[in-house]
Each structure stands twice: as C-alpha cells, then as structure tokens.
PDB file of all heavy atoms in Angstrom:
ATOM      1  N   LYS A   1       0.849  -1.174   0.000  1.00  0.00           N
ATOM      2  CA  LYS A   1       0.000   0.000   0.000  1.00  0.00           C
ATOM      3  C   LYS A   1       0.891   1.232   0.000  1.00  0.00           C
ATOM      4  O   LYS A   1       1.815   1.335   0.812  1.00  0.00           O
ATOM      5  CB  LYS A   1      -0.921  -0.001   1.222  1.00  0.00           C
ATOM      6  CG  LYS A   1      -2.084   0.952   1.098  1.00  0.00           C
ATOM      7  CD  LYS A   1      -3.155   0.636   2.128  1.00  0.00           C
ATOM      8  CE  LYS A   1      -4.385   1.493   1.879  1.00  0.00           C
ATOM      9  NZ  LYS A   1      -5.484   1.156   2.792  1.00  0.00           N
ATOM     10  N   SER A   2       0.614   2.153  -0.904  1.00  0.00           N
ATOM     11  CA  SER A   2       1.458   3.324  -1.106  1.00  0.00           C
ATOM     12  C   SER A   2       1.783   4.016   0.211  1.00  0.00           C
ATOM     13  O   SER A   2       0.907   4.284   1.025  1.00  0.00           O
ATOM     14  CB  SER A   2       0.760   4.297  -2.055  1.00  0.00           C
ATOM     15  OG  SER A   2       1.505   5.482  -2.195  1.00  0.00           O
ATOM     16  N   SER A   3       3.068   4.316   0.382  1.00  0.00           N
ATOM     17  CA  SER A   3       3.592   5.123   1.494  1.00  0.00           C
ATOM     18  C   SER A   3       3.583   4.419   2.843  1.00  0.00           C
ATOM     19  O   SER A   3       4.017   5.003   3.840  1.00  0.00           O
ATOM     20  CB  SER A   3       2.842   6.458   1.609  1.00  0.00           C
ATOM     21  OG  SER A   3       2.971   7.207   0.419  1.00  0.00           O
ATOM     22  N   GLU A   4       3.115   3.189   2.916  1.00  0.00           N
ATOM     23  CA  GLU A   4       3.178   2.462   4.185  1.00  0.00           C
ATOM     24  C   GLU A   4       4.560   1.827   4.357  1.00  0.00           C
ATOM     25  O   GLU A   4       5.147   1.322   3.405  1.00  0.00           O
ATOM     26  CB  GLU A   4       2.094   1.380   4.255  1.00  0.00           C
ATOM     27  CG  GLU A   4       0.710   1.926   4.498  1.00  0.00           C
ATOM     28  CD  GLU A   4      -0.281   0.839   4.876  1.00  0.00           C
ATOM     29  OE1 GLU A   4       0.110  -0.355   4.865  1.00  0.00           O
ATOM     30  OE2 GLU A   4      -1.434   1.174   5.176  1.00  0.00           O
ATOM     31  N   THR A   5       5.064   1.836   5.584  1.00  0.00           N
ATOM     32  CA  THR A   5       6.380   1.273   5.864  1.00  0.00           C
ATOM     33  C   THR A   5       6.401  -0.222   5.565  1.00  0.00           C
ATOM     34  O   THR A   5       5.510  -0.965   5.982  1.00  0.00           O
ATOM     35  CB  THR A   5       6.773   1.502   7.332  1.00  0.00           C
ATOM     36  OG1 THR A   5       6.847   2.910   7.575  1.00  0.00           O
ATOM     37  CG2 THR A   5       8.109   0.860   7.649  1.00  0.00           C
ATOM     38  N   ILE A   6       7.433  -0.639   4.826  1.00  0.00           N
ATOM     39  CA  ILE A   6       7.599  -2.058   4.503  1.00  0.00           C
ATOM     40  C   ILE A   6       8.469  -2.749   5.531  1.00  0.00           C
ATOM     41  O   ILE A   6       8.155  -3.830   6.031  1.00  0.00           O
ATOM     42  CB  ILE A   6       8.236  -2.216   3.097  1.00  0.00           C
ATOM     43  CG1 ILE A   6       7.278  -1.718   2.023  1.00  0.00           C
ATOM     44  CG2 ILE A   6       8.636  -3.667   2.837  1.00  0.00           C
ATOM     45  CD1 ILE A   6       7.894  -1.680   0.644  1.00  0.00           C
ATOM     46  N   ASP A   7       9.599  -2.108   5.873  1.00  0.00           N
ATOM     47  CA  ASP A   7      10.553  -2.705   6.803  1.00  0.00           C
ATOM     48  C   ASP A   7      11.545  -1.625   7.222  1.00  0.00           C
ATOM     49  O   ASP A   7      11.382  -0.456   6.877  1.00  0.00           O
ATOM     50  CB  ASP A   7      11.286  -3.876   6.123  1.00  0.00           C
ATOM     51  CG  ASP A   7      11.728  -4.941   7.119  1.00  0.00           C
ATOM     52  OD1 ASP A   7      12.071  -4.574   8.264  1.00  0.00           O
ATOM     53  OD2 ASP A   7      11.756  -6.122   6.757  1.00  0.00           O
ATOM     54  N   LYS A   8      12.580  -2.043   7.946  1.00  0.00           N
ATOM     55  CA  LYS A   8      13.678  -1.155   8.319  1.00  0.00           C
ATOM     56  C   LYS A   8      14.961  -1.697   7.714  1.00  0.00           C
ATOM     57  O   LYS A   8      15.115  -2.918   7.566  1.00  0.00           O
ATOM     58  CB  LYS A   8      13.834  -1.079   9.837  1.00  0.00           C
ATOM     59  CG  LYS A   8      12.630  -0.510  10.582  1.00  0.00           C
ATOM     60  CD  LYS A   8      12.877  -0.561  12.086  1.00  0.00           C
ATOM     61  CE  LYS A   8      11.669  -0.049  12.863  1.00  0.00           C
ATOM     62  NZ  LYS A   8      11.485   1.411  12.680  1.00  0.00           N
ATOM     63  N   VAL A   9      15.886  -0.809   7.366  1.00  0.00           N
ATOM     64  CA  VAL A   9      17.211  -1.239   6.922  1.00  0.00           C
ATOM     65  C   VAL A   9      18.263  -0.574   7.805  1.00  0.00           C
ATOM     66  O   VAL A   9      18.039   0.497   8.377  1.00  0.00           O
ATOM     67  CB  VAL A   9      17.464  -0.909   5.432  1.00  0.00           C
ATOM     68  CG1 VAL A   9      16.450  -1.601   4.546  1.00  0.00           C
ATOM     69  CG2 VAL A   9      17.453   0.592   5.190  1.00  0.00           C
ATOM     70  N   ASP A  10      19.426  -1.238   7.927  1.00  0.00           N
ATOM     71  CA  ASP A  10      20.486  -0.735   8.786  1.00  0.00           C
ATOM     72  C   ASP A  10      21.161   0.493   8.185  1.00  0.00           C
ATOM     73  O   ASP A  10      21.304   0.610   6.961  1.00  0.00           O
ATOM     74  CB  ASP A  10      21.540  -1.829   9.008  1.00  0.00           C
ATOM     75  CG  ASP A  10      20.985  -3.002   9.801  1.00  0.00           C
ATOM     76  OD1 ASP A  10      20.052  -2.784  10.596  1.00  0.00           O
ATOM     77  OD2 ASP A  10      21.471  -4.137   9.597  1.00  0.00           O
ATOM     78  N   VAL A  11      21.590   1.386   9.072  1.00  0.00           N
ATOM     79  CA  VAL A  11      22.263   2.633   8.674  1.00  0.00           C
ATOM     80  C   VAL A  11      23.663   2.642   9.277  1.00  0.00           C
ATOM     81  O   VAL A  11      23.859   2.267  10.445  1.00  0.00           O
ATOM     82  CB  VAL A  11      21.466   3.863   9.143  1.00  0.00           C
ATOM     83  CG1 VAL A  11      22.220   5.155   8.814  1.00  0.00           C
ATOM     84  CG2 VAL A  11      20.077   3.878   8.498  1.00  0.00           C
ATOM     85  N   TRP A  12      24.629   3.092   8.509  1.00  0.00           N
ATOM     86  CA  TRP A  12      26.022   3.194   8.956  1.00  0.00           C
ATOM     87  C   TRP A  12      26.378   4.655   9.201  1.00  0.00           C
ATOM     88  O   TRP A  12      26.122   5.512   8.362  1.00  0.00           O
ATOM     89  CB  TRP A  12      26.952   2.587   7.912  1.00  0.00           C
ATOM     90  CG  TRP A  12      28.411   2.846   8.116  1.00  0.00           C
ATOM     91  CD1 TRP A  12      29.225   3.614   7.353  1.00  0.00           C
ATOM     92  CD2 TRP A  12      29.236   2.319   9.153  1.00  0.00           C
ATOM     93  NE1 TRP A  12      30.502   3.624   7.825  1.00  0.00           N
ATOM     94  CE2 TRP A  12      30.540   2.818   8.947  1.00  0.00           C
ATOM     95  CE3 TRP A  12      28.990   1.462  10.247  1.00  0.00           C
ATOM     96  CZ2 TRP A  12      31.604   2.505   9.784  1.00  0.00           C
ATOM     97  CZ3 TRP A  12      30.060   1.150  11.074  1.00  0.00           C
ATOM     98  CH2 TRP A  12      31.341   1.674  10.847  1.00  0.00           C
ATOM     99  N   LEU A  13      26.926   4.924  10.383  1.00  0.00           N
ATOM    100  CA  LEU A  13      27.383   6.258  10.765  1.00  0.00           C
ATOM    101  C   LEU A  13      26.245   7.280  10.780  1.00  0.00           C
ATOM    102  O   LEU A  13      26.454   8.456  10.461  1.00  0.00           O
ATOM    103  CB  LEU A  13      28.518   6.742   9.842  1.00  0.00           C
ATOM    104  CG  LEU A  13      29.803   5.903   9.856  1.00  0.00           C
ATOM    105  CD1 LEU A  13      30.820   6.488   8.881  1.00  0.00           C
ATOM    106  CD2 LEU A  13      30.375   5.802  11.267  1.00  0.00           C
ATOM    107  N   GLY A  14      25.059   6.839  11.152  1.00  0.00           N
ATOM    108  CA  GLY A  14      23.919   7.740  11.244  1.00  0.00           C
ATOM    109  C   GLY A  14      23.525   7.987  12.687  1.00  0.00           C
ATOM    110  O   GLY A  14      23.866   7.198  13.585  1.00  0.00           O
ATOM    111  N   LYS A  15      22.788   9.055  12.927  1.00  0.00           N
ATOM    112  CA  LYS A  15      22.302   9.340  14.271  1.00  0.00           C
ATOM    113  C   LYS A  15      21.238   8.335  14.698  1.00  0.00           C
ATOM    114  O   LYS A  15      20.882   8.262  15.876  1.00  0.00           O
ATOM    115  CB  LYS A  15      21.748  10.770  14.340  1.00  0.00           C
ATOM    116  CG  LYS A  15      22.855  11.826  14.270  1.00  0.00           C
ATOM    117  CD  LYS A  15      22.313  13.218  14.519  1.00  0.00           C
ATOM    118  CE  LYS A  15      23.448  14.231  14.559  1.00  0.00           C
ATOM    119  NZ  LYS A  15      22.963  15.614  14.808  1.00  0.00           N
ATOM    120  N   GLU A  16      20.719   7.592  13.726  1.00  0.00           N
ATOM    121  CA  GLU A  16      19.855   6.450  14.004  1.00  0.00           C
ATOM    122  C   GLU A  16      20.449   5.231  13.319  1.00  0.00           C
ATOM    123  O   GLU A  16      21.044   5.336  12.244  1.00  0.00           O
ATOM    124  CB  GLU A  16      18.428   6.718  13.513  1.00  0.00           C
ATOM    125  CG  GLU A  16      17.765   7.899  14.193  1.00  0.00           C
ATOM    126  CD  GLU A  16      16.333   8.106  13.719  1.00  0.00           C
ATOM    127  OE1 GLU A  16      15.598   7.102  13.641  1.00  0.00           O
ATOM    128  OE2 GLU A  16      15.975   9.260  13.427  1.00  0.00           O
ATOM    129  N   ASN A  17      20.274   4.081  13.943  1.00  0.00           N
ATOM    130  CA  ASN A  17      20.891   2.864  13.415  1.00  0.00           C
ATOM    131  C   ASN A  17      20.077   2.201  12.312  1.00  0.00           C
ATOM    132  O   ASN A  17      20.582   1.325  11.608  1.00  0.00           O
ATOM    133  CB  ASN A  17      21.113   1.857  14.548  1.00  0.00           C
ATOM    134  CG  ASN A  17      22.176   2.325  15.520  1.00  0.00           C
ATOM    135  OD1 ASN A  17      23.118   3.003  15.124  1.00  0.00           O
ATOM    136  ND2 ASN A  17      22.000   1.980  16.790  1.00  0.00           N
ATOM    137  N   GLN A  18      18.822   2.607  12.171  1.00  0.00           N
ATOM    138  CA  GLN A  18      17.958   2.045  11.130  1.00  0.00           C
ATOM    139  C   GLN A  18      17.074   3.143  10.556  1.00  0.00           C
ATOM    140  O   GLN A  18      16.845   4.179  11.194  1.00  0.00           O
ATOM    141  CB  GLN A  18      17.077   0.920  11.690  1.00  0.00           C
ATOM    142  CG  GLN A  18      17.850  -0.330  12.098  1.00  0.00           C
ATOM    143  CD  GLN A  18      16.914  -1.432  12.533  1.00  0.00           C
ATOM    144  OE1 GLN A  18      15.994  -1.217  13.315  1.00  0.00           O
ATOM    145  NE2 GLN A  18      17.147  -2.643  12.019  1.00  0.00           N
ATOM    146  N   VAL A  19      16.569   2.892   9.358  1.00  0.00           N
ATOM    147  CA  VAL A  19      15.618   3.815   8.744  1.00  0.00           C
ATOM    148  C   VAL A  19      14.492   3.006   8.117  1.00  0.00           C
ATOM    149  O   VAL A  19      14.716   1.943   7.524  1.00  0.00           O
ATOM    150  CB  VAL A  19      16.304   4.714   7.681  1.00  0.00           C
ATOM    151  CG1 VAL A  19      16.848   3.895   6.510  1.00  0.00           C
ATOM    152  CG2 VAL A  19      15.334   5.786   7.170  1.00  0.00           C
ATOM    153  N   ASP A  20      13.252   3.492   8.292  1.00  0.00           N
ATOM    154  CA  ASP A  20      12.104   2.851   7.647  1.00  0.00           C
ATOM    155  C   ASP A  20      12.185   3.036   6.138  1.00  0.00           C
ATOM    156  O   ASP A  20      12.654   4.073   5.641  1.00  0.00           O
ATOM    157  CB  ASP A  20      10.795   3.462   8.151  1.00  0.00           C
ATOM    158  CG  ASP A  20      10.510   3.113   9.605  1.00  0.00           C
ATOM    159  OD1 ASP A  20      11.106   2.150  10.106  1.00  0.00           O
ATOM    160  OD2 ASP A  20       9.686   3.817  10.230  1.00  0.00           O
ATOM    161  N   VAL A  21      11.705   2.053   5.400  1.00  0.00           N
ATOM    162  CA  VAL A  21      11.680   2.138   3.935  1.00  0.00           C
ATOM    163  C   VAL A  21      10.274   1.835   3.425  1.00  0.00           C
ATOM    164  O   VAL A  21       9.500   1.132   4.080  1.00  0.00           O
ATOM    165  CB  VAL A  21      12.695   1.173   3.288  1.00  0.00           C
ATOM    166  CG1 VAL A  21      14.120   1.628   3.564  1.00  0.00           C
ATOM    167  CG2 VAL A  21      12.492  -0.258   3.782  1.00  0.00           C
ATOM    168  N   TYR A  22       9.957   2.354   2.245  1.00  0.00           N
ATOM    169  CA  TYR A  22       8.625   2.167   1.666  1.00  0.00           C
ATOM    170  C   TYR A  22       8.700   2.267   0.147  1.00  0.00           C
ATOM    171  O   TYR A  22       9.725   2.676  -0.422  1.00  0.00           O
ATOM    172  CB  TYR A  22       7.647   3.207   2.218  1.00  0.00           C
ATOM    173  CG  TYR A  22       7.822   4.599   1.662  1.00  0.00           C
ATOM    174  CD1 TYR A  22       6.991   5.079   0.655  1.00  0.00           C
ATOM    175  CD2 TYR A  22       8.829   5.435   2.138  1.00  0.00           C
ATOM    176  CE1 TYR A  22       7.159   6.356   0.143  1.00  0.00           C
ATOM    177  CE2 TYR A  22       9.008   6.714   1.639  1.00  0.00           C
ATOM    178  CZ  TYR A  22       8.165   7.171   0.628  1.00  0.00           C
ATOM    179  OH  TYR A  22       8.339   8.436   0.107  1.00  0.00           O
ATOM    180  N   VAL A  23       7.614   1.879  -0.498  1.00  0.00           N
ATOM    181  CA  VAL A  23       7.457   2.035  -1.944  1.00  0.00           C
ATOM    182  C   VAL A  23       6.269   2.957  -2.172  1.00  0.00           C
ATOM    183  O   VAL A  23       5.202   2.752  -1.591  1.00  0.00           O
ATOM    184  CB  VAL A  23       7.224   0.680  -2.647  1.00  0.00           C
ATOM    185  CG1 VAL A  23       6.906   0.876  -4.122  1.00  0.00           C
ATOM    186  CG2 VAL A  23       8.459  -0.204  -2.488  1.00  0.00           C
ATOM    187  N   ASN A  24       6.439   3.965  -3.002  1.00  0.00           N
ATOM    188  CA  ASN A  24       5.425   5.005  -3.142  1.00  0.00           C
ATOM    189  C   ASN A  24       4.381   4.672  -4.211  1.00  0.00           C
ATOM    190  O   ASN A  24       4.082   5.491  -5.087  1.00  0.00           O
ATOM    191  CB  ASN A  24       6.089   6.347  -3.464  1.00  0.00           C
ATOM    192  CG  ASN A  24       5.125   7.515  -3.298  1.00  0.00           C
ATOM    193  OD1 ASN A  24       4.176   7.422  -2.535  1.00  0.00           O
ATOM    194  ND2 ASN A  24       5.358   8.589  -4.029  1.00  0.00           N
ATOM    195  N   GLU A  25       3.864   3.476  -4.174  1.00  0.00           N
ATOM    196  CA  GLU A  25       2.752   3.118  -5.054  1.00  0.00           C
ATOM    197  C   GLU A  25       2.070   1.860  -4.536  1.00  0.00           C
ATOM    198  O   GLU A  25       2.682   1.035  -3.853  1.00  0.00           O
ATOM    199  CB  GLU A  25       3.205   2.926  -6.504  1.00  0.00           C
ATOM    200  CG  GLU A  25       4.204   1.828  -6.740  1.00  0.00           C
ATOM    201  CD  GLU A  25       4.609   1.716  -8.203  1.00  0.00           C
ATOM    202  OE1 GLU A  25       3.758   1.296  -9.023  1.00  0.00           O
ATOM    203  OE2 GLU A  25       5.749   2.057  -8.521  1.00  0.00           O
ATOM    204  N   ASP A  26       0.787   1.759  -4.870  1.00  0.00           N
ATOM    205  CA  ASP A  26       0.060   0.533  -4.553  1.00  0.00           C
ATOM    206  C   ASP A  26       0.534  -0.566  -5.503  1.00  0.00           C
ATOM    207  O   ASP A  26       0.693  -0.326  -6.703  1.00  0.00           O
ATOM    208  CB  ASP A  26      -1.442   0.731  -4.718  1.00  0.00           C
ATOM    209  CG  ASP A  26      -1.999   1.759  -3.745  1.00  0.00           C
ATOM    210  OD1 ASP A  26      -1.441   1.890  -2.643  1.00  0.00           O
ATOM    211  OD2 ASP A  26      -2.986   2.433  -4.094  1.00  0.00           O
ATOM    212  N   ILE A  27       0.738  -1.752  -4.971  1.00  0.00           N
ATOM    213  CA  ILE A  27       1.164  -2.871  -5.811  1.00  0.00           C
ATOM    214  C   ILE A  27       0.193  -4.031  -5.611  1.00  0.00           C
ATOM    215  O   ILE A  27      -0.006  -4.510  -4.489  1.00  0.00           O
ATOM    216  CB  ILE A  27       2.594  -3.335  -5.470  1.00  0.00           C
ATOM    217  CG1 ILE A  27       3.587  -2.182  -5.630  1.00  0.00           C
ATOM    218  CG2 ILE A  27       3.001  -4.509  -6.371  1.00  0.00           C
ATOM    219  CD1 ILE A  27       4.995  -2.518  -5.165  1.00  0.00           C
TER     220      ILE A  27
END
C-alpha cells in the first residue's frame, strides 16, 4: 500500500541505526 512502511534497513554512521523504507505506489 502506497507510502506504508515495509521494513527497516540498517544505517552506517547515522544518528539512528535504522531507517524505515517504503514504496510510493500501490502494488
């Protein structure tokens, strides 16, 4: 569903260790 969070991925050298990811369209 467009703009809904799919999962988290790891971040390197960021102020947060993970970031939410999404796809901007209904599939």
Side-chain angles (χ1 to χ4, degrees):
K1 196 164 187 176
S2 176
S3 300
E4 285 193 356
T5 298
I6 294 173
D7 209 326
K8 298 177 182 291
V9 300
D10 294 332
V11 176
W12 169 248
L13 298 179
K15 289 187 175 180
E16 298 182 46
N17 292 328
Q18 292 185 313
V19 64
D20 291 342
V21 291
Y22 75 100
V23 174
N24 193 26
E25 62 181 290
D26 296 330
I27 302 174

